[in-house]
Amino acid sequence: MGLDDKQLEGAPKDYNKKVQRNSSFFRALKNSLHGIWMILVRERNLRIHIFLGFLILIAGLHYGLVRSDWLWVTVAVFTVISSEFLNTIIEALVDLVVEKRYHPLAGLAKDIAAGGVLAAVAFEIIILLIVFQPYVWRQFGIVTNFSQFIHNFSR
C-alpha cells in the first residue's frame, strides 16, 4: 500500500487529489499557509525552535537590541527555522520513496538533513552569544570593549 492509496493526515479532502498547478495567487497562498500549518502540527522540533525564537525575541526586547543586532538575531533564528523546513521536506521525500523498507542511503539522507539543522543551531548559538554578550555583561556591571581586548591581545 503506497502513499497514493491513503490520505495525508490532517490534509483537506481535495488536497491529496491535486495534480495540477495552482490556478491563482490566492490558491497558492492558501496552500503555502496550509504547508506551514501542517509542519507546525506535525513537527515537535519546529514548535520548540519557534518557542525558543519567541524567548529570544523577549530577551532582545528586554535588553533593547539595536537595529544591527536585530538583523543578526533574525537571520540566526530564521536560518534554524528554514533548516527545519528543509529537514522535514527531505524526511518526507525519503519516506515516500522507501515507504516502510530500510535502506542505508535513506538513513544517510535523513541523518545529513538532521545534521544540517544541528549546524544551523550551532550558527544560531554563536550569533546569539556574540550579540547578547555585551548586553548581559553590562547588566551585571561588567563593561567590555571587545575591539580593545583584541587590540591589546595582539600586542
Side-chain angles (χ1 to χ4, degrees), residues 9-11 19 56 60 99 106 110 119 131 134 153:
E9 291 180 35
V19 292
I56 293 166
E99 294 179 333
K110 286 183 166 190
V131 167
F153 185 73

Side-chain angles (χ1 to χ4, degrees), residues 8-149:
L8 182 63
E9 291 180 35
K13 290 178 183 170
D14 65 339
Y15 188 80
N16 293 292
K17 298 177 184 174
K18 185 177 167 228
V19 292
Q20 59 193 13
R21 293 184 63 128
N22 293 314
S23 56
S24 70
F25 169 78
F26 293 107
R27 179 66 182 179
L29 180 62
K30 179 182 173 189
N31 289 338
S32 299
L33 293 173
H34 180 261
I36 292 171
W37 175 252
M38 290 298 295
I39 194 171
L40 283 171
V41 169
R42 296 170 57 104
E43 295 297 325
R44 177 196 54 170
N45 289 345
L46 180 68
R47 291 191 302 270
I48 291 169
H49 290 304
I50 289 176
F51 175 73
L52 293 174
F54 181 72
L55 292 179
I56 293 166
L57 171 70
I58 291 171
L61 292 172
H62 171 75
Y63 287 116
L65 297 183
V66 296
R67 185 178 181 147
S68 60
D69 289 341
W70 277 117
L71 175 66
W72 281 105
V73 168
T74 304
V75 167
V77 168
F78 277 96
T79 298
V80 171
I81 291 172
S82 298
S83 67
E84 194 66 54
F85 270 76
L86 289 173
N87 181 45
T88 302
I89 291 166
I90 291 168
E91 287 182 352
L93 287 172
V94 167
D95 290 345
L96 175 68
V97 171
V98 299
E99 294 179 333
K100 301 281 185 189
R101 298 171 313 218
Y102 172 78
H103 193 284
L105 288 177
L108 178 64
K110 286 183 166 190
D111 290 348
I112 292 171
V117 175
L118 188 59
V121 168
F123 169 76
E124 178 183 38
I125 289 170
I126 291 167
I127 295 297
L128 294 176
L129 288 173
I130 291 170
V131 167
F132 279 99
Q133 177 265 330
Y135 295 97
V136 173
W137 284 20
R138 193 173 307 124
Q139 180 179 356
F140 294 108
I142 303 169
V143 179
T144 63
N145 184 344
F146 189 71
S147 60
Q148 185 65 38
F149 171 77

